[in-house]
Amino acid sequence: QTCALPISDPPTDTKRKIGDFCVEILGDPRFDAFSWTQVNSSTKAVILRWLTGRTLDAFFDVLRNTADSIWQHRQDFWTSYYRQGHITEAWAVLGPDAHRYVIKNYRGADLAYGLLTGQYDEGQSVLLMRMGDMLFCEWSHNGKLRAIDVASFDSPKLYRKSYDAADL
């Protein structure tokens, strides 16, 4: 479900502390839904939204350092949709270049992600984003945006450890 109005959040450092605490105690709700079954659904949705924001921020940081300059425009575009409450889930799928950058430059859980496998340009990565009933697959490095209904048999599932490029 999307929200047409901007959502008011606490400062970034407060969101990070609360999110880190919840994930430390209950696990990451993207991977461990069972531990979150007793948590109010609106509270869980807030934590998921904050994790989505962290995924977007970290993914855009990685691409700022590994991709073409067009990504600044894509970042502005997608960040606007996130701030308006339309992007409810996001998952990064990194190719080898971006994966090497993350291993060298990231510590902690700021960017949980899957790996891209199969045949593709080694520089490419993919950002999977859910908006309502649609899943968007945004490819880097002159890649095309693809969209699919999340209920479709062919729709990629979020939060996997690896994805074959042909499936995206």
Side-chain angles (χ1 to χ4, degrees), residues 64-75:
R64 196 172 20 262
N65 290 284
T66 62
D68 52 20
S69 61
I70 193 72
W71 263 97
Q72 180 59 51
H73 302 292
R74 291 180 181 185
Q75 177 180 351

Side-chain angles (χ1 to χ4, degrees), residues 77-152:
F77 178 82
W78 291 120
T79 299
S80 173
Y81 273 86
Y82 170 73
R83 286 186 181 143
Q84 293 174 38
H86 298 295
I87 298 175
T88 56
E89 296 179 84
W91 187 241
V93 183
L94 304 181
D97 290 351
H99 179 65
R100 283 189 290 274
Y101 178 83
V102 167
I103 288 172
K104 185 177 177 181
N105 296 288
Y106 272 76
R107 293 192 177 98
D110 278 338
L111 180 61
Y113 58 91
L115 296 174
L116 190 58
T117 63
Q119 292 187 331
Y120 58 94
D121 177 333
E122 282 202 3
Q124 286 186 302
S125 292
V126 182
L127 180 60
L128 303 177
M129 297 168 287
R130 182 172 180 164
M131 287 195 283
D133 293 333
M134 298 299 294
L135 183 72
F136 293 85
C137 304
E138 174 73 289
W139 284 75
S140 70
H141 294 79
N142 295 319
K144 295 180 181 178
L145 172 67
R146 291 165 173 86
I148 189 167
D149 189 306
V150 294
S152 170

Side-chain angles (χ1 to χ4, degrees), residues 3 8 15 17-19 27 36 39 50 54 59 62 70 74-75 89 92 114 122 124-125 138 144 159 165-167:
C3 174
S8 177
K15 290 190 301 188
K17 287 176 185 176
I18 293 169
W36 286 79
V39 176
W50 291 352
R54 286 170 75 167
F59 183 78
V62 170
I70 193 72
R74 291 180 181 185
Q75 177 180 351
E89 296 179 84
E122 282 202 3
Q124 286 186 302
S125 292
E138 174 73 289
K144 295 180 181 178
Y159 315 126
D167 294 335

Side-chain angles (χ1 to χ4, degrees), residues 11-87:
T12 301
D13 61 331
T14 303
K15 290 190 301 188
R16 180 175 300 281
K17 287 176 185 176
I18 293 169
D20 287 350
F21 176 77
C22 291
V23 168
E24 182 178 328
I25 299 300
L26 295 171
D28 190 321
R30 298 172 294 186
F31 313 119
D32 188 5
F34 180 77
S35 295
W36 286 79
T37 55
Q38 297 301 314
V39 176
N40 176 295
S41 62
S42 62
T43 301
K44 180 180 174 184
V46 168
I47 298 300
L48 282 170
R49 183 167 43 83
W50 291 352
L51 290 171
T52 295
R54 286 170 75 167
T55 296
L56 291 169
D57 289 344
F59 183 78
F60 293 136
D61 177 63
V62 170
L63 288 195
R64 196 172 20 262
N65 290 284
T66 62
D68 52 20
S69 61
I70 193 72
W71 263 97
Q72 180 59 51
H73 302 292
R74 291 180 181 185
Q75 177 180 351
D76 295 344
F77 178 82
W78 291 120
T79 299
S80 173
Y81 273 86
Y82 170 73
R83 286 186 181 143
Q84 293 174 38
H86 298 295
I87 298 175

